[in-house]
Amino acid sequence: MKKIAALLVLFSIFGFGQKQSLRNEISKLTKGKNATVAVAVKGIDFPFEFNNENAGKKLPMQSVFKFHIALAVLDWVDQGKLALDQKVFINKSELLPNTWSPIREKNPEGNFEMPISELIEYAVAMSDNVGCDILLRLIGGPKTVNDFLISKGMKDTQIVYNEEVMQSDWKNQYENYTTMKSSNTLLKDFYQGKIISKESTEFLLGVLYRTSTGTNKIVEQLPKSAKVAHKTGSSGKNDSGLTGAENDIAIITLPNGKTYALSIFVSDSMESWETNCKIISNISKAVYDFLKK
């Protein structure tokens, strides 16, 4: 028994030492940056967890919340309240100007139909703001999403505003928040099929794998062969040059087939857009290199 105890102690010390090396590397990458950088890593099918000193802070999600919204919509699909092939009529009045929307660019005159499956593709993979708010309208608004997350045991996550309202006032983004710990718990539970049905999980994973935004964030320095299902978010800068949010969350598969959740938010930053994204990119590479050893 003494030998086993000694081995466990050595293993614990070794594991701590290795994790400390990752902590040191991430600290080096964020040193001197005028920003709040929050990082959390969670093994999905292997025992590993890392949280930096900001991983428990409630930070603005921006478009990352479209992942949460898609989960709530797909829950309605699972309940039979909606169907993926169900077509939704989109009025021209819903195609708001001055907001990111590939849907609007493709259909500027509006008054057309689009299936829910395609709306989810636009809202999540392409981060379409119009598509996001149409999906929210279908299920009764942000409160439906918030209540759904609470029902799934999600803590320290809140969704109050849709895209239109969130963008109407800079401070509103701070009401749609999560922590990196909560984000990773949701990613893990989602991947393991604990949030929505198997069919809906597979559908949304496919959408996340096709994400076309944020190519200079989590995915930038990872091998082209790496499987990355991710969702990005970005606030842009206000008149004072402050970036409220530059975010990315992901489920990443290692060469050995093991998967992990990674959430990185850069908040309240006075750094440039390029620097904020490079922080995320560098941390992602450091975590991947550490875990693939």
Side-chain angles (χ1 to χ4, degrees):
M1 290 297 293
K2 288 183 178 180
K3 286 184 178 180
I4 294 174
L7 286 171
L8 287 173
V9 170
L10 285 172
F11 177 80
S12 175
I13 292 171
F14 178 70
F16 174 80
Q18 284 211 324
K19 195 177 289 188
Q20 188 61 38
S21 71
L22 178 61
R23 187 177 301 280
N24 292 342
E25 178 63 20
I26 290 174
S27 294
K28 190 192 314 180
L29 292 172
T30 60
K31 184 178 181 180
K33 300 297 189 295
N34 190 357
T36 296
V37 182
V39 184
V41 188
K42 193 179 190 73
I44 292 177
D45 44 19
F46 64 99
F48 180 83
E49 187 161 6
F50 169 86
N51 301 297
N52 82 339
E53 66 275 11
N54 296 319
K57 289 186 176 180
K58 296 174 181 177
L59 301 173
M61 286 192 279
Q62 280 289 336
S63 287
V64 165
F65 82 152
K66 290 166 184 167
F67 167 61
H68 303 67
I69 291 165
L71 289 172
V73 171
L74 288 168
D75 179 62
W76 274 43
V77 171
D78 292 341
Q79 294 180 55
K81 296 179 180 180
L82 296 172
L84 283 177
D85 60 358
Q86 178 178 332
K87 291 187 176 180
V88 179
F89 187 79
I90 301 174
N91 293 297
K92 185 174 183 178
S93 61
E94 292 180 285
L95 302 179
L96 300 176
N98 305 316
T99 192
W100 170 252
S101 178
I103 290 176
R104 185 195 61 237
E105 296 307 306
K106 186 177 180 181
N107 307 275
E109 296 306 313
N111 302 319
F112 63 98
E113 291 184 329
M114 180 177 286
I116 288 174
S117 59
E118 196 171 345
L119 276 169
I120 293 174
E121 184 81 26
Y122 270 101
V124 177
M126 291 175 264
S127 210
D128 192 294
N129 294 333
V130 167
C132 169
D133 283 359
I134 291 171
L135 288 172
L136 278 173
R137 170 171 60 80
L138 289 176
I139 61 174
K143 186 178 185 303
T144 300
V145 183
N146 204 61
D147 290 347
F148 170 71
L149 294 171
I150 291 171
S151 75
K152 294 299 178 178
M154 289 301 106
K155 299 177 180 179
D156 300 322
T157 298
Q158 174 179 281
I159 295 175
V160 175
Y161 299 123
N162 66 3
E163 277 285 356
E164 182 181 6
V165 177
M166 181 170 66
Q167 292 184 30
S168 68
D169 192 313
W170 180 262
K171 70 177 186 296
N172 286 350
Q173 67 181 301
Y174 294 93
E175 296 301 313
N176 290 343
Y177 62 71
T178 192
T179 70
M180 300 308 91
K181 291 180 181 180
S182 180
S183 174
N184 277 356
T185 296
L186 182 60
L187 288 170
K188 181 176 181 177
D189 286 354
F190 159 68
Y191 191 79
Q192 293 182 331
K194 298 176 182 178
I195 304 297
I196 49 179
S197 70
K198 180 181 179 182
E199 293 76 14
S200 291
T201 298
E202 290 176 352
F203 169 78
L204 186 51
L205 260 177
V207 174
L208 291 165
Y209 283 130
R210 293 189 291 274
T211 291
S212 57
T213 58
T215 56
N216 60 344
K217 296 182 186 179
I218 280 178
V219 300
E220 183 181 47
Q221 298 183 63
L222 301 187
K224 298 299 180 185
S225 58
K227 289 185 68 177
V228 184
H230 70 122
K231 182 70 200 84
T232 61
S234 182
S235 68
K237 287 186 175 293
N238 66 10
D239 293 340
S240 300
L242 181 73
T243 297
E246 199 66 68
N247 306 332
D248 208 353
I249 65 171
I251 296 167
I252 302 168
T253 303
L254 293 163
N256 64 7
K258 296 293 186 181
T259 56
Y260 64 96
L262 173 63
S263 296
I264 309 172
F265 280 17
V266 178
S267 302
D268 292 334
S269 174
M270 292 302 293
E271 305 293 339
S272 68
W273 174 74
E274 291 82 3
T275 297
N276 291 329
C277 293
K278 186 58 71 175
I279 289 170
I280 296 173
S281 173
N282 286 340
I283 291 173
S284 175
K285 183 179 187 301
V287 171
Y288 186 89
D289 290 347
F290 175 83
L291 290 177
K292 76 175 183 179
K293 293 176 183 176

